[in-house]
Structure formats: structure tokens, C-alpha cells
Amino acid sequence: MENTRKKSHKNLFNAGIVLIVAELLILLFTSKDRSVSPNIFDDNGIFFINYVLTLIYLINVFIFHGTVFRFKRIHYSFFLIILTLLSISAFTLNNTMVLFARFSPWVSYYLILFYIAFLGLSYIKEMPGFLRWLDFFILGMGMVLVLYFTIYLFPLYHIAFLGAIFLGISLHIIVPLCVLIAGIVLFLKLQQSRIDRAFFLAGIVVPLIITAVFLTRWNTLREEIHEASASIITRPDNSLPEWVLFCQNMPSDEFSQKIIKGEIVYDVFKNLWNGRWGSAGFDEVKRHDPLVNIGIAINGDIDIDNQTRVKILKSQYNARHMTQRKLWTGKDLETVDVLNNVKIFPDYRMAYMEKIITIKNMNSWNNSQQEAAFTFYMPEGSVATSLSLWINGKEEKSRLSTKEKADSAYRSIVGVERRDPALLHWQEGNTVTVTVFPVTPEKNRKFKIGVSIPLEKSGDKLKMKTVYFDGPDTDNIMETSRVEIESKCEVSSIALPGGFESKAKDVFLYTGDFRPYWEVEMRATPLAEESFSFNNKKYRIKEFKEHKIPVNINKIYLDINESWTLDEFETILKQNKDLKVFVHHDQMIEISAENKDDVFKELKSKNFSLFPFYKIKSGNETLVISKSGELSPNLSDLEGSEFLNNLTSQLARENKRFNLFQIGSLSSPYLKSLKEFQVFNFATGSVNDINKLIQEQVFHKSSDDPSQIDLANAGISIIRDTMSLKTHTAPDHLLRLFAYNRIMKATGRNYFNENKEYIDEVLSVANEAYVVSPVSSLVVLESKKDYERFDIGENKNSLKNASMQSSGAVPEPSEWILISVFTLLVLLLFFRKRFFG
């Protein structure tokens, strides 16, 4: 009889373990794909499945022990199983009644470890010493986290008991309290020695120490912000916004990022039902982090408003995509498929890349309409040249319009009428944004973006850098990539990432897991002589030759930040000891032997620098030397500030360029924007290259010829000529890249001021080449009536959307007439011969 009972006990316990695994799989599977049988696997259905399974097991335990009320007869291992099942049920219920937003990753790992140790108490008597001590240590750590959950939910305990009549669902609120009590009672019952107690107490102490360190750091940062705010007010130069000065001096580690995000992203004690999504224009999933919560509860939040926090996060923590404007939520969207189609033209040092992206709405509610937002990062000098949206299964191509018209149409249709548009906008720093609406659970949404890309030449090698993106979740994404190399010469030394297979001569295919970014390399081929013609103009390429101008540098300005090394600083001073060297710190400071160490230490502590070019004279006598990191504000982030007003005023007044030498290849977003607007004579290299230029009294200069643009990275210049009788078989990307560079040059000095006279001229250039720019956008609307209503006409005298077949000459209107007349004459001669002999 006793053996039978032990066997039944073992079977029931094993069944509990199997049930725990089953409930976890149900929770994980249905959380990952909410589109599976939505009537059953919606949030409520998932909860009731797990809750009913838990109740069935609970009833079986009571039946096995023969009573409901005599708990002492129930073996403690069953309590461990039941409390774990109730915990899983509570986490499932949280998907419907959101008391905790999505946990920070460390919390999830912490909980998994704790519940393994919690269930491990069932085997504690059979464990060897070191495993026993480890179990007690993890149990002690877990008790601290469970205590936190118990306190967090304490204000809702009255709801738990009052609502218990509804199938006992509200009692899930007190599950952490029950786990806490059970953990302490079982430890006291099962511990056998002083070592057991020592490890358990050590487990409690470790998270408390971590919390104390966190709180100390939190309080220190609050004081630093308060002191910085006070010092900013007394600074002689207040042209930069206060938040920029915070960014320059604030640590850029993950800890500081948590503190800055604060209530924008994280749950707080004072609001238990604040949803799943970020606020204040910050589109990040709402998270629950106990450390952040405790920091706010004990030390108080930092004294920075939400709008300023968002600006800091954009500039200092690479969170710009999270701040993209959206009219609808996109919280349940996933990117499920990416098709890359690439054609490389090594003879022309350029490429064209299309990305066809499929988006899925994982929400179980069929009427859920959500908006997908993407940020695409393009190689330097690239331009977006096509956009398509699939509507009712058919690819609909975009029209190019002014940025304002396209934006107005999109906002009106998405915000009020809720129909099918897609919008592509230019952004600073070689990026574009795409928004697509609506994405519903009923059908996946698909769109296509095309980008014309200059290749990068280094020595005898060519490199194509691909376009990558931020957007809806990419965890379950599949990728197919096709690369075709089109050349009249034999292309050698082709290097692609692993997984690509050759399908034909110079055609390669990859299918597999998603790779956000990759490159293609090959040996450079001779430049093609063919051209591309359009509108009585032809476009051809030639080898880039550096244009050098004579200079007489007598003043050097160092743009110093944390990316500089002391050796670089001292080398420049040593090599140019006969010249005046300045830095900017509230004002221009001339470097001397007495102040150089203090000045460098002060400026080196800044995360980034924004050099005030308006405080120096452009021309041949000055040189700015810069070195940058990846992060800084964009020009648009500074809009309305005295700094930007002063800068743009000078750019509008003076037509001369600043001489800028950049140490290394990395440009900050601030410098990248100014460089893109072509306000610099720009050179890059090492510290020794600077000395060589100064000694030779020459500097690099971009061409001022309106019929030529230079793509120095690709080692080519694109020339615009009058038409000739030669064949024109070059890709149309020559005109597109030529036009984009011409637009940026014309826009650069006017983009942020009130002078808008230039817009009509550059818009006609954008229309001809069909390129996205600061003044032009691409938009796809559902019907012709929509285009007519918003006065977005069909693009005439334009290349229109780029495609994989874009190459050769496009016939002019006069050429179409000649072709038609020639065809008519051939037909007349044919019929005359046939009918009249």
C-alpha cells in the first residue's frame, strides 16, 4: 500500500513538472504568434487554458491526499508545483490585465533562475553539498525579487479579496506573497547547517548591495544634472540648448540610459495601469525594471521634462528611430520577410538595391489597424529613388511631390480616412524614413524601397555597402538576397558573405536567417565610356582627380571631444608650433604651453562636440581639424536655437567653404549633415597627412563646375554634357546621383533659413531624376482621385521610379516623334507594296 502511494506521489509530481513545461510552452508560443487561431489563442484564451490546467492539477492534489482542509498532509513538493503553476498563470493573466509591462531581460533571467531553485527544494535532501548551497543562494536572491513584487502589488490586495468570487482570478495578485511565505517557511524547514543559512543570507545580501549601488549612482546623477543646470545658466555662451549641454557631459552607459528613460519607458509605482507602449513621442515598448522603480520611489525622478528626455535619447543613445512621428501604434507588428535585389555596375562604380519588406500584424483582434515605421540607413552619397506599396495584391508605384504635399496627403488619409498610403521622407545623415498604413491581422503588408548607391573604392578594390534598417521586430525574419554584377569586363576577386551560392555567371543567391547588414567586394574594373542621356543632356563618368587650391593656413581650430587621443593633440601642436592653434570652450581659446593640459582634459570629457563654424572666417587662412564619434545631435534637433540661427545666417551670407580635415573616416551626425550640404572643403586622413597639406600649402576642394559632381569615395566624377550621336547604354543612376548632389549643394546654405526661393529650381531637378531630397518625397496613395484631391500630379519629363532594368537612354519627346514618323513610313511602304504591287 505504501509503495503504491509513493508511486502515485511520484507520478503526480512528475505530471506537475510536465504541466509546468506545457504551460510555459503555451505562454511562449502564443505570445510569439498571436495570429494563430485568434478565437482560442487571444490573451484571454491563453490565460483560461493555463488557469484551468492549474485548477485541474490543484484538485487532483487534494483528491490524492483525500481532503481539502488538512494541508499538513500535503507534501511540500506539491505546494512548490502549485505555486509555480499559479505564477505562470499570473504572468499569462498579465497579458490581459497589464500590471507589469514587459520585463527588462535581466528580470526574466532572474525569475527563471529563481523558479528552478524554488522547484529544486523538492530534491534538496538528495543534493550534494555544493548544489545544495547554490540552490539556497539563488533562493535567497529570488526572495528579494519576490518581496519587491509583493510590495509593488500591495495596493491591490483589497481588489484580490473582493474579486475572489469571480472564479478566484483576482487572487493571482497575492501569488507573490504566497511564494514569499512558502520560500521562507520551506528554507527554515529544510536548512540543516550554518553553511546553509550563510548561503541563503548571502543570496539576500547580493541583490541588496546591487540595489544600494544603483541608488547611489542614481542620486549622484541627479546631483550632476542639478549642478550642470545651475552652471549652464552662468555660462558666457548659452547659444546651445540646455539639453545639448546635458548630452555632452552625461555618461553614455546603459545605467544612465535607464535613468533618462524613466517614466517614458518604465513602469512606476504611482501608475499600475500605464499600458505597454512608451509615451511622450518615444516609440519603445513599455518595460518594467525593479531597479528603476526603486530608484524613482526612493530618490525621486530626475528633474528633466519628457520632451527634453526624448531629445537626449535621440542624440546620445542612438534612439532616433524611436522618436519617428507615427499617427497610429505599431506595437504588435513584426517584419517577417526581406527580399534584397541588388545590381552592381562596377564599370560605373555604382549599384542599385531594392528591399521588398513584408510586415505582419500579430494582434488577435481582426479590426486592429496599425502603422509600420522604418528608418533606412544608406551608404554615404546614396539616394532613395523608388517606392512601391502592394494594394489589393497589386504593386502600386509612387509619385514624387513636395515634402509638404506628400506629408499632408499621408496625414489626412491615415489620421482621418484610414486607407492605404505609404510615405518616404528624406532625413539628415544619409537616412530616409518610410511609413506604411494600415497593417491588419487579416493580411500581411508589403512595400518596396529602391536606393541608388555609389560604390566605395580603396586601392584596386570596390566595395558595395548595403542599406540596413530599424523597424518592427525582426526576431522571426527570413531573408532572400540576389546579387547580380553587370560588367563588360571579367570581374574577379568577388567576395560575398557566407551562404551565397552562384546561380549563373556573376549572379549569386542567399536564402536563410536575416542579416541586417552585409557587403560585397570585388576587384575594380576599367571605367565605362558609355553615357546615359535624358532631356537633351548626357551623363558620363571619369576618374576623380583631386582639386587642390592654394592655402596659407595661419590659424588652426581643433574640434576636440572624447574620441581624440592625447598623442593626436600633442602631435598637431608640435607639428604646428609656429601657427596659432585654438579650441572652443564657450569662447575661442588660444592653446599655450600653460593651458594645453587643462584645456584638453576639459574638452576630452565631452561625449561629442558641435563646432561653431559661425565664429570663424571661412577661406584659405583657416583650418578646422575634427575627429568624431557616432553620436551627436542632427542639425534639425537644434532648430530654433541661437546656435543654429547664427550658423545658418552665416552660411546664407557667405558663399565660401570651410576647410575641414577629419581624422579617421567616422563623421558625427552634425558634421555629416553639414558635409552632405556641401559647406566644406573636406579632406580625411591621419595626423601626418595634416602636416603634409599645411607644408605644401594646398587643400582639397570640391568642384564648383555646375556640370560636374565628385564622388570621391567612389573615385569618380559624373559629367553632364550636351547630347552626341554615341550610344547611351549607361544606367540611369548616373543622372540620379548627379541630381541629388546638385540638390544638396543648392539646398545646403538655405535649408534652415527663411529663403525658400531655391525650392522651385531644385524641385524640378528632383522631379527629373526622381530622387528623394530635403524638398521632395515619394508617396503612394490608393487611387487616382486621392492624387487629384491633394494636387499630386503624375510626374512628367521624369525618370520616375528606378528599377532593376533602369539603364540606357530614355527617348526625348522629339525622339518619340521621330520614332513614330519612322514607324509610320515603314508601315506605309509595307502596305503599299502589299496592296499596290
Side-chain angles (χ1 to χ4, degrees):
M1 184 72 178
E2 185 64 25
N3 289 336
T4 303
R5 184 174 181 82
K6 285 182 178 179
K7 187 176 180 181
S8 300
H9 178 286
K10 184 177 180 180
N11 289 339
L12 188 58
F13 179 81
N14 290 339
I17 297 296
V18 170
L19 203 55
I20 288 171
V21 174
E23 288 195 11
L24 275 174
L25 289 174
I26 290 171
L27 175 59
L28 293 173
F29 171 73
T30 52
S31 295
K32 202 65 181 173
D33 189 354
R34 298 287 177 83
S35 65
V36 179
S37 189
N39 294 326
I40 299 174
F41 288 108
D42 62 5
D43 289 332
N44 292 323
I46 299 164
F47 163 68
F48 277 109
I49 289 172
N50 278 352
Y51 186 46
V52 168
L53 289 174
T54 300
L55 290 178
I56 290 171
Y57 186 79
L58 183 65
I59 291 168
N60 271 279
V61 169
F62 286 139
I63 291 173
F64 172 76
H65 287 283
T67 178
V68 174
F69 302 104
R70 296 179 65 183
F71 291 103
K72 287 185 178 180
R73 293 183 57 184
I74 301 176
H75 193 271
Y76 70 84
S77 61
F78 291 117
F79 280 116
L80 296 172
I81 295 285
I82 292 167
L83 287 172
T84 303
L85 288 170
L86 284 170
S87 297
I88 297 171
S89 181
F91 289 130
T92 311
L93 179 61
N94 189 65
N95 286 335
T96 302
M97 299 175 61
V98 183
L99 298 183
F100 298 97
R102 183 183 297 182
F103 291 122
S104 294
W106 71 266
V107 181
S108 301
Y109 297 135
Y110 198 153
L111 284 169
I112 291 168
L113 276 176
F114 165 70
Y115 277 101
I116 290 172
F118 190 62
L119 289 170
L121 293 176
S122 301
Y123 304 97
I124 202 76
K125 294 178 180 177
E126 291 81 29
M127 286 184 185
F130 72 94
L131 277 181
R132 177 188 184 89
W133 299 330
L134 179 62
D135 194 275
F136 282 138
F137 177 78
I138 297 173
L139 183 71
M141 289 181 64
M143 288 292 100
V144 178
L145 184 60
V146 174
L147 176 63
Y148 163 81
F149 288 139
T150 304
I151 296 171
Y152 184 86
L153 294 172
F154 180 76
L156 302 178
Y157 280 7
H158 64 287
I159 297 175
F161 294 109
L162 290 174
I165 57 174
F166 298 104
L167 301 176
I169 292 174
S170 62
L171 291 175
H172 283 84
I173 293 171
I174 65 169
V175 168
L177 176 62
C178 296
V179 172
L180 180 68
I181 294 170
I184 294 171
V185 169
L186 287 174
F187 167 72
L188 294 174
K189 177 180 178 181
L190 297 172
Q191 60 87 22
Q192 296 177 350
S193 67
R194 186 180 300 172
I195 299 179
D196 289 348
R197 293 191 292 273
F199 273 93
F200 181 75
L201 290 174
I204 293 173
V205 169
V206 167
L208 293 178
I209 291 173
I210 293 171
T211 304
V213 171
F214 186 89
L215 291 174
T216 303
R217 184 70 189 90
W218 182 292
N219 197 49
T220 302
L221 187 59
R222 286 184 74 246
E223 291 175 358
E224 287 174 357
I225 290 171
H226 179 74
E227 290 172 5
S229 182
S231 64
I232 287 165
I233 296 171
T234 60
R235 288 180 63 163
D237 181 4
N238 286 321
S239 58
L240 280 170
E242 192 173 293
W243 65 267
V244 174
L245 302 174
F246 284 150
C247 282
Q248 284 184 315
N249 298 289
M250 192 172 293
S252 56
D253 56 10
E254 186 176 348
F255 173 84
S256 300
Q257 186 176 350
K258 283 179 183 287
I259 295 175
I260 294 298
K261 286 181 176 178
E263 294 183 29
I264 295 178
V265 172
Y266 294 104
D267 279 338
V268 292
F269 278 111
K270 64 184 179 184
N271 187 0
L272 292 180
W273 282 291
N274 51 355
R276 300 183 186 185
W277 216 247
S279 57
F282 196 74
D283 194 30
E284 183 176 342
V285 176
K286 202 80 173 175
R287 291 195 177 275
H288 188 102
D289 191 304
L291 288 174
V292 175
N293 232 329
I294 293 169
I296 292 175
I298 294 178
N299 286 337
D301 205 356
I302 56 175
D303 188 21
I304 299 179
D305 62 80
N306 284 351
Q307 189 175 5
T308 301
R309 290 175 196 253
V310 170
K311 290 178 179 178
I312 293 172
L313 290 167
K314 277 202 301 184
S315 301
Q316 182 63 10
Y317 297 103
N318 202 24
R320 194 167 296 279
H321 173 70
M322 298 294 182
T323 64
Q324 187 177 334
R325 184 202 70 186
K326 290 177 69 178
L327 303 176
W328 288 68
T329 183
K331 66 185 180 67
D332 296 313
L333 301 184
E334 284 192 8
T335 308
V336 293
D337 189 70
V338 172
L339 171 62
N340 297 311
N341 204 355
V342 178
K343 182 174 279 191
I344 303 175
F345 307 93
D347 302 354
Y348 298 92
R349 310 268 173 88
M350 58 189 63
Y352 176 66
M353 180 176 192
E354 287 182 344
K355 296 182 87 74
I356 301 175
I357 295 176
T358 305
I359 318 148
K360 185 174 187 176
N361 187 336
M362 312 303 285
N363 195 296
S364 59
W365 185 39
N366 287 334
N367 292 325
S368 168
Q369 292 187 326
Q370 299 192 16
E371 182 181 17
F374 290 81
T375 300
F376 291 89
Y377 304 90
M378 306 181 298
E380 184 175 344
S382 302
V383 58
T385 49
S386 74
L387 175 71
S388 296
L389 179 67
W390 272 255
I391 300 175
N392 298 322
K394 181 183 176 184
E395 180 185 359
E396 299 291 346
K397 294 183 179 294
S398 66
R399 291 186 182 183
L400 184 140
S401 180
T402 65
K403 188 173 184 177
E404 290 74 18
K405 279 186 182 180
D407 198 58
S408 174
Y410 183 85
R411 282 188 289 107
S412 297
I413 292 175
V414 172
V416 180
E417 301 169 31
R418 305 180 186 179
R419 290 186 287 116
D420 295 84
L423 178 67
L424 193 161
H425 272 326
W426 176 92
Q427 305 292 345
E428 290 178 62
N430 302 118
T431 62
V432 293
T433 55
V434 173
T435 44
V436 175
F437 182 87
V439 185
T440 66
E442 297 172 333
K443 193 173 184 180
N444 293 350
R445 206 70 209 254
K446 183 163 65 173
F447 74 94
K448 177 175 74 178
I449 177 176
V451 179
S452 300
I453 304 171
L455 302 183
E456 198 173 276
K457 185 173 186 289
S458 179
D460 66 344
K461 295 287 187 181
L462 295 178
K463 179 189 292 184
M464 194 210 83
K465 296 181 175 179
T466 52
V467 178
Y468 61 98
F469 66 87
D470 281 328
D473 182 34
T474 57
D475 286 350
N476 297 320
I477 199 169
M478 289 296 293
E479 174 189 334
T480 300
S481 295
R482 182 183 185 274
V483 175
E484 179 181 353
I485 301 173
E486 185 176 292
S487 173
K488 289 188 175 181
C489 306
E490 187 71 26
V491 182
S492 61
S493 303
I494 300 172
L496 294 110
F500 273 91
E501 296 179 359
S502 178
K503 294 298 180 182
K505 180 177 172 54
D506 295 336
V507 177
F508 306 90
L509 189 67
Y510 166 81
T511 301
D513 293 335
F514 176 59
R515 290 184 291 203
Y517 173 81
W518 41 275
E519 298 175 348
V520 181
E521 286 190 5
M522 68 204 71
R523 192 176 298 280
T525 58
L527 290 184
E529 296 181 356
E530 287 81 3
S531 59
F532 172 80
S533 66
F534 189 71
N535 275 352
N536 295 315
K537 296 285 190 297
K538 71 172 184 178
Y539 300 84
R540 60 184 176 85
I541 58 171
K542 70 174 185 178
E543 288 284 354
F544 168 70
K545 291 184 179 178
E546 288 184 345
H547 307 276
K548 292 186 178 180
I549 53 172
V551 293
N552 183 25
I553 304 296
N554 55 43
K555 289 182 180 178
I556 295 176
Y557 297 88
L558 304 183
D559 183 22
I560 298 175
N561 51 59
E562 71 169 2
S563 62
W564 282 67
T565 66
L566 182 59
D567 183 61
E568 289 167 340
F569 175 67
E570 291 182 338
T571 300
I572 291 172
L573 293 182
K574 184 178 179 180
Q575 290 177 345
N576 301 282
K577 57 187 176 184
D578 296 329
L579 301 179
K580 291 185 176 182
V581 181
F582 296 85
V583 295
H584 183 264
H585 184 52
D586 293 334
Q587 58 189 352
M588 290 299 173
I589 301 171
E590 185 173 355
I591 298 295
S592 65
E594 292 75 27
N595 68 8
K596 67 183 183 69
D597 293 335
D598 291 337
V599 166
F600 182 78
K601 183 179 179 181
E602 177 67 26
L603 295 177
K604 168 77 173 171
S605 67
K606 296 185 181 300
N607 295 316
F608 58 84
S609 52
L610 300 176
F611 189 81
F613 289 94
Y614 61 87
K615 290 190 176 183
I616 65 172
K617 289 184 178 181
S618 57
N620 296 337
E621 296 181 349
T622 59
L623 173 64
V624 179
I625 302 174
S626 179
K627 187 180 180 185
S628 306
E630 292 183 344
L631 301 177
S632 80
N634 277 337
L635 283 175
S636 56
D637 298 329
L638 305 173
E639 198 161 359
S641 68
E642 184 183 342
F643 180 93
L644 187 62
N645 291 338
N646 291 338
L647 178 62
T648 52
S649 295
Q650 186 187 23
L651 292 177
R653 279 195 314 269
E654 297 185 15
N655 202 31
K656 292 182 179 179
R657 296 177 178 178
F658 298 98
N659 297 322
L660 177 70
F661 189 97
Q662 179 178 282
I663 301 172
S665 59
L666 194 61
S667 299
S668 69
Y670 169 71
L671 291 178
K672 193 181 289 185
S673 296
L674 290 174
K675 183 182 173 186
E676 202 170 20
F677 285 132
Q678 300 185 24
V679 300
F680 298 135
N681 289 323
F682 183 82
T684 183
S686 67
V687 171
N688 291 328
D689 294 325
I690 302 170
N691 188 54
K692 185 178 178 182
L693 288 172
I694 293 174
Q695 292 297 321
E696 293 177 355
Q697 294 190 327
V698 293
F699 199 76
H700 303 279
K701 180 180 182 294
S702 299
S703 173
D704 290 324
D705 185 349
S707 64
Q708 175 176 327
I709 64 103
D710 297 326
L711 298 175
N713 284 350
I716 59 169
S717 297
I718 302 178
I719 312 297
R720 182 182 61 191
D721 290 329
T722 53
M723 283 287 288
S724 68
L725 297 176
K726 290 183 179 180
T727 57
H728 308 288
T729 57
D732 62 16
H733 306 290
L734 270 73
L735 169 52
R736 298 182 194 272
L737 291 170
F738 180 93
Y740 179 68
N741 278 268
R742 186 178 161 197
I743 290 168
M744 296 307 293
K745 184 176 180 180
T747 303
R749 296 177 181 272
N750 300 294
Y751 184 58
F752 292 100
N753 62 31
E754 296 179 359
N755 176 21
K756 303 301 179 186
E757 295 176 0
Y758 71 98
I759 288 181
D760 289 341
E761 179 189 348
V762 298
L763 195 58
S764 107
V765 176
N767 175 72
E768 179 185 56
Y770 212 83
V771 294
V772 175
S773 72
V775 297
S776 57
S777 297
L778 299 182
V779 63
V780 181
L781 303 181
E782 188 173 2
S783 66
K784 288 185 178 179
K785 288 183 178 180
D786 289 328
Y787 287 114
E788 291 169 1
R789 182 155 61 98
F790 293 103
D791 191 27
I792 300 175
E794 190 168 351
N795 301 95
K796 297 178 181 178
N797 200 28
S798 169
L799 292 180
K800 298 192 177 181
N801 286 275
S803 71
M804 299 306 293
Q805 288 75 41
S806 298
S807 64
V810 177
E812 314 294 336
S814 57
E815 290 175 326
W816 281 115
I817 295 172
L818 289 173
I819 292 169
S820 301
V821 170
F822 178 76
T823 304
L824 184 61
L825 285 172
V826 171
L827 289 172
L828 284 172
L829 288 170
F830 173 78
F831 284 112
R832 181 181 176 185
K833 183 176 181 180
R834 181 172 179 180
F835 292 108
F836 300 104

